[in-house]
Amino acid sequence: MISMKEIANRAGVSRTTVSFVLNGRYKQDMKISDEVATRVLATADSLGYVKNELVQSVVTGKSRVIAVISEFHEIMMSVVKGCVEEAAKYGYLVELIPLEEDINKALMTAVKYRAEGIFACDLPDKMMDEVDPKFFTFGIPSIGLKHNTGRMSFNQMKSAMLAAEHLVGLGHRKIICFGMDGSIAQQRAEGYRRVMAEHRLEPVVFQPEPPGSLKELEEAVARIIKARPDAVFCVNDPLAMHLLNRLYKRRLFVPDTFSVAGFGNVSMSELASPPLTTVSEPYYETGRCVFQRILNLIKTGSESAPEPFIGKLILRESTAKNTKYGGKK
Amino acid sequence: MISMKEIANRAGVSRTTVSFVLNGRYKQDMKISDEVATRVLATADSLGYVKNELVQSVVTGKSRVIAVISEFHEIMMSVVKGCVEEAAKYGYLVELIPLEEDINKALMTAVKYRAEGIFACDLPDKMMDEVDPKFFTFGIPSIGLKHNTGRMSFNQMKSAMLAAEHLVGLGHRKIICFGMDGSIAQQRAEGYRRVMAEHRLEPVVFQPEPPGSLKELEEAVARIIKARPDAVFCVNDPLAMHLLNRLYKRRLFVPDTFSVAGFGNVSMSELASPPLTTVSEPYYETGRCVFQRILNLIKTGSESAPEPFIGKLILRESTAKNTKYGGKK
DNA sequence: CTGAAAGCGCTAACAC
DNA sequence: GTGTTAGCGCTTTCAG
């Protein structure tokens, strides 16, 4: 792999000159003759020179790399993609560090490679507390660890309210909330509760998952069906699809039997039977936003608290107007 | 960020000593007193020293990083995860380079950061030919570019045969293959054709997708339904789910109307209505395998041609025995 | 066992 | 406008 030194020799100039030319700073900082500049550029090109960013990182103390630590669930790809693409725009590279049960090991890897920023993407709750305090002495800008706003900025509650309001707006009264395990699901359930309270409707939450074997899920679904609700708000799409699934098995059509709304807009929700009404989380945008926050932290040292995203209601065919109560229109 | 030099000073030894101790080579290469060794280790620890891998990369000429270039579809996360986790076992890090329409730019980024290996993960067909030949002069081990076996080692054809054979085995005769756009889908369709030929059944391929608007898809589905097949083999799960979807809309149940098999085992296929019989591609394993191949290339310079993976048939509820022809029980 | 010295490829003052 | 010099933090001979 050829170096600046060789270019300097071949072109008959000094390495400084080469450096300045190659960094495109030969117009402002130093005045290098156009003739020399072109010659340098030409030889660099003919020799197939490619700058060694690693060295630049060492010298400048800036690696232009940010580390993403995660378990890399399928669903996270969009977040990562958003982060990677946004980073690329600013000349930053993203490196992936697997979590594999030890957050401190992962963190140390990031430090060893001198990542300028760290994005702990969707850490399991319990790991939040396991982070060695000494890590923070390095002062590396990070998002997703406990000491900052934590997680990604997405307003689960308000987003869930969108779905709940949609169901109420369709004229449904007996609306069941399905699932509430985990802190995120609880925020969604809370959104549901608020909407129900606003409309003086009685909230009913079915909680099947947690130790959550398939069997318990089965029972919960059976109970829901027996309850004959007008609509069911599922705290996540897979849960909703599971419900659709069991209804299908009983030859019960949706939304005829009752409406079903999900949450998350996972890729296949569009192809569910019927296509699922749900709330989208802007994963890609979130990833971009996280990079922006980290970049801001790197540049200015101050945390920009962005307005949390609010999901969008995705209207599809699993929800429909209620006619039972002589529903409006 | 503290350096070896500082440790040397604090511990009252030379930087060489520190280097050797910290690299755990003070037993074999040099005989450093246990006492000194522990002292060095202790001061390093108390000072919060973290080795700068970047410098090590520069000095040794080995970055211990491999670059993954991809468009990062949701579906690829498992492959990437497999690659990342396998890499971690060998002390390698994975960095992500977005494709964004210019393969050569992406490749150059990888070279600039001196990636030891490159994994072009599922490049669009057309990009294969756009790779600047000069790239190969760098001699960086790579998987997924045209000059090697290409793509990941997965036998699409044989895997597709699993699904086709399953359908034939259930007693179906009139089996339609749905979709064949793209080189991968064609390999799957070929698997279908072979099985049909083996059993002296007439192959029928419906090709809807390509310029593939939703409308064309719609028409294709209508034609399939009109054709009254015994079973339909869809070249990928989303296509299969789309089909299920349209059948649902017509109140046509599966597998009563006809059996449906997909391909890919995407995460939600399990929750389709009905749960989809499909063929799994071992994405995670593939990712691990790719890293192994790259590592092998790095270490020995020789391409290990692993036995291509063959998918597994995932039996679910969208396929059932045919009774029309007095089918075998 | 330990330390001096050279070097990896590049940046950045500061003279010429 | 151009070249000299020092240095980034680490590895690695090679004398003591």
Side-chain angles (χ1 to χ4, degrees):
Chain A
M1 200 115 309
I2 102 114
S3 70
M4 282 192 178
K5 192 177 177 178
E6 303 183 45
I7 298 176
N9 293 340
R10 288 282 211 292
V13 296
S14 79
R15 316 136 111 226
T16 316
T17 310
V18 175
S19 173
F20 274 76
V21 171
L22 258 32
N23 288 317
R25 303 198 333 220
Y26 61 100
K27 278 290 175 197
Q28 326 122 41
D29 307 52
M30 309 224 133
K31 258 139 227 154
I32 290 172
S33 67
D34 277 5
E35 185 245 315
V36 169
T38 17
R39 181 151 40 97
V40 169
L41 256 9
T43 46
D45 202 74
S46 72
L47 260 40
Y49 172 77
V50 183
K51 180 196 225 155
N52 188 333
E53 297 277 352
L54 255 27
V55 173
Q56 176 153 338
S57 298
V58 170
V59 170
T60 62
K62 272 106 181 48
S63 60
R64 314 220 88 189
V65 161
I66 83 136
V68 173
I69 298 174
S70 168
E71 280 178 332
F72 306 121
H73 302 301
E74 201 167 308
I75 202 89
M76 306 269 49
M77 187 49 118
S78 300
V79 177
V80 172
K81 181 185 168 97
C83 192
V84 168
E85 292 187 358
E86 191 68 10
K89 282 184 203 153
Y90 295 84
Y92 274 76
L93 214 56
V94 166
E95 59 192 23
L96 260 32
I97 303 178
L99 194 44
E100 318 218 55
E101 291 165 30
D102 192 348
I103 178 64
N104 287 308
K105 193 179 152 225
L107 251 13
M108 272 312 149
T109 304
V111 179
K112 282 199 284 197
Y113 282 85
R114 295 301 187 264
E116 286 189 58
I118 296 175
F119 174 23
C121 184
D122 201 35
L123 279 199
D125 284 345
K126 67 182 171 83
M127 284 206 182
M128 289 288 181
D129 303 314
E130 290 171 12
V131 175
D132 188 336
K134 100 175 184 196
F135 163 73
F136 296 107
T137 64
F138 298 123
I140 301 176
S142 56
I143 300 281
L145 296 177
K146 202 169 193 174
H147 72 302
N148 58 28
T149 8
R151 320 207 147 245
M152 292 162 283
S153 54
F154 179 69
N155 194 322
Q156 302 284 349
M157 199 195 65
K158 284 198 185 166
S159 304
M161 289 177 72
L162 258 35
E165 259 154 16
H166 165 65
L167 293 175
V168 171
L170 287 171
H172 299 300
R173 313 288 269 288
K174 186 164 180 181
I175 303 170
I176 291 177
C177 176
F178 187 25
M180 56 165 282
D181 189 41
S183 64
I184 289 191
Q186 283 191 18
Q187 293 169 51
R188 294 175 189 164
E190 179 56 24
Y192 156 84
R193 283 207 180 82
R194 293 216 184 172
V195 170
M196 293 301 272
E198 256 173 41
H199 293 271
R200 299 172 180 281
L201 294 171
E202 193 194 351
V204 184
V205 176
F206 277 61
Q207 153 62 326
E209 323 158 73
S213 63
L214 207 63
K215 204 171 163 187
E216 301 195 29
L217 202 50
E218 211 54 66
E219 283 171 17
V221 170
R223 276 167 57 215
I224 288 178
I225 293 173
K226 206 170 295 170
R228 301 202 149 277
D230 301 329
V232 178
F233 167 54
C234 305
V235 296
N236 61 56
D237 284 350
L239 207 53
M241 289 184 70
H242 194 92
L243 178 56
L244 291 180
N245 205 333
R246 306 329 288 183
L247 290 170
Y248 184 87
K249 197 154 198 170
R250 292 173 166 78
R251 299 282 203 265
L252 258 20
F253 280 92
V254 170
D256 314 19
T257 313
F258 50 73
S259 286
V260 175
F263 195 106
N265 193 30
V266 303
S267 57
M268 289 300 121
S269 65
E270 188 179 359
L271 297 178
S273 301
L276 190 65
T277 290
T278 187
V279 176
S280 72
E281 273 196 69
Y283 292 115
Y284 180 81
E285 279 303 329
T286 301
R288 291 184 51 178
C289 173
V290 165
F291 176 76
Q292 285 295 352
R293 284 167 68 192
I294 290 182
L295 188 62
N296 194 55
L297 233 25
I298 292 172
K299 298 299 183 208
T300 73
S302 70
E303 165 72 277
S304 57
E307 202 56 34
F309 286 114
I310 293 185
K312 282 195 181 56
L313 183 67
I314 311 286
L315 252 51
R316 290 200 278 243
E317 301 164 31
S318 67
T319 51
K321 293 207 173 110
N322 190 342
T323 46
K324 275 197 234 171
Y325 310 107
K328 9 187 167 178
K329 180 164 185 259
Chain B
M1 200 115 311
I2 102 115
S3 70
M4 280 194 179
K5 192 179 179 176
E6 304 184 43
I7 298 176
N9 293 341
R10 287 283 210 293
V13 297
S14 79
R15 316 137 110 227
T16 316
T17 310
V18 175
S19 174
F20 273 75
V21 172
L22 257 32
N23 288 315
R25 303 200 331 222
Y26 62 101
K27 278 292 174 196
Q28 324 123 41
D29 306 50
M30 308 226 132
K31 260 139 225 152
I32 290 172
S33 67
D34 278 5
E35 186 245 314
V36 169
T38 16
R39 180 148 43 96
V40 169
L41 255 10
T43 47
D45 202 74
S46 72
L47 261 40
Y49 172 77
V50 184
K51 180 196 226 156
N52 188 333
E53 296 277 353
L54 255 28
V55 173
Q56 174 152 338
S57 298
V58 170
V59 169
T60 61
K62 271 109 182 49
S63 61
R64 311 222 89 186
V65 161
I66 85 136
V68 173
I69 297 175
S70 169
E71 281 179 331
F72 306 122
H73 302 300
E74 199 167 309
I75 202 91
M76 306 269 49
M77 186 49 117
S78 300
V79 178
V80 172
K81 182 185 167 96
C83 192
V84 168
E85 292 187 358
E86 191 68 9
K89 282 184 202 152
Y90 295 84
Y92 274 77
L93 215 54
V94 167
E95 59 192 21
L96 259 33
I97 302 179
L99 194 43
E100 319 219 55
E101 291 163 31
D102 191 347
I103 178 65
N104 287 309
K105 193 180 151 224
L107 251 13
M108 271 313 149
T109 303
V111 179
K112 282 200 285 197
Y113 282 85
R114 296 300 187 267
E116 285 189 57
I118 294 176
F119 173 22
C121 185
D122 201 34
L123 278 199
D125 284 346
K126 67 181 170 82
M127 286 205 180
M128 289 288 183
D129 302 314
E130 290 171 11
V131 175
D132 188 336
K134 102 175 182 197
F135 163 73
F136 297 107
T137 63
F138 299 122
I140 300 176
S142 57
I143 300 281
L145 296 177
K146 202 169 192 172
H147 73 299
N148 58 29
T149 8
R151 322 210 145 243
M152 290 162 282
S153 55
F154 178 70
N155 194 321
Q156 302 284 350
M157 199 195 66
K158 283 198 186 166
S159 303
M161 290 177 73
L162 258 33
E165 260 153 16
H166 165 64
L167 294 175
V168 171
L170 287 172
H172 300 300
R173 315 286 270 289
K174 186 166 182 181
I175 303 172
I176 291 177
C177 176
F178 186 26
M180 57 165 281
D181 189 43
S183 63
I184 290 191
Q186 283 189 19
Q187 292 169 52
R188 293 175 190 166
E190 178 58 23
Y192 156 84
R193 282 206 181 82
R194 294 217 183 169
V195 170
M196 294 302 272
E198 256 173 41
H199 294 271
R200 300 170 181 283
L201 294 171
E202 192 194 350
V204 184
V205 176
F206 276 61
Q207 154 60 327
E209 323 157 74
S213 63
L214 207 62
K215 203 170 162 187
E216 301 195 30
L217 201 51
E218 210 54 65
E219 283 170 19
V221 170
R223 278 167 56 216
I224 288 177
I225 293 174
K226 207 170 293 171
R228 303 202 147 275
D230 300 331
V232 179
F233 166 54
C234 305
V235 295
N236 60 56
D237 285 349
L239 207 53
M241 288 183 71
H242 194 92
L243 178 57
L244 291 180
N245 205 333
R246 307 329 289 182
L247 291 170
Y248 184 86
K249 197 155 198 170
R250 291 173 167 79
R251 300 283 200 266
L252 259 20
F253 280 91
V254 170
D256 312 19
T257 313
F258 50 72
S259 286
V260 174
F263 196 105
N265 193 29
V266 303
S267 56
M268 289 300 120
S269 64
E270 188 180 359
L271 296 179
S273 301
L276 190 65
T277 290
T278 187
V279 177
S280 72
E281 274 195 67
Y283 293 114
Y284 180 81
E285 279 303 327
T286 301
R288 293 184 50 177
C289 174
V290 165
F291 176 77
Q292 285 294 351
R293 284 168 67 192
I294 290 182
L295 187 64
N296 195 54
L297 233 25
I298 292 173
K299 299 296 183 207
T300 73
S302 70
E303 167 70 276
S304 57
E307 202 57 35
F309 286 114
I310 294 184
K312 281 194 183 57
L313 184 67
I314 310 287
L315 253 50
R316 290 201 277 245
E317 301 164 31
S318 67
T319 52
K321 293 203 172 116
N322 190 343
T323 47
K324 279 196 228 170
Y325 310 107
K328 8 185 167 173
K329 179 157 183 264

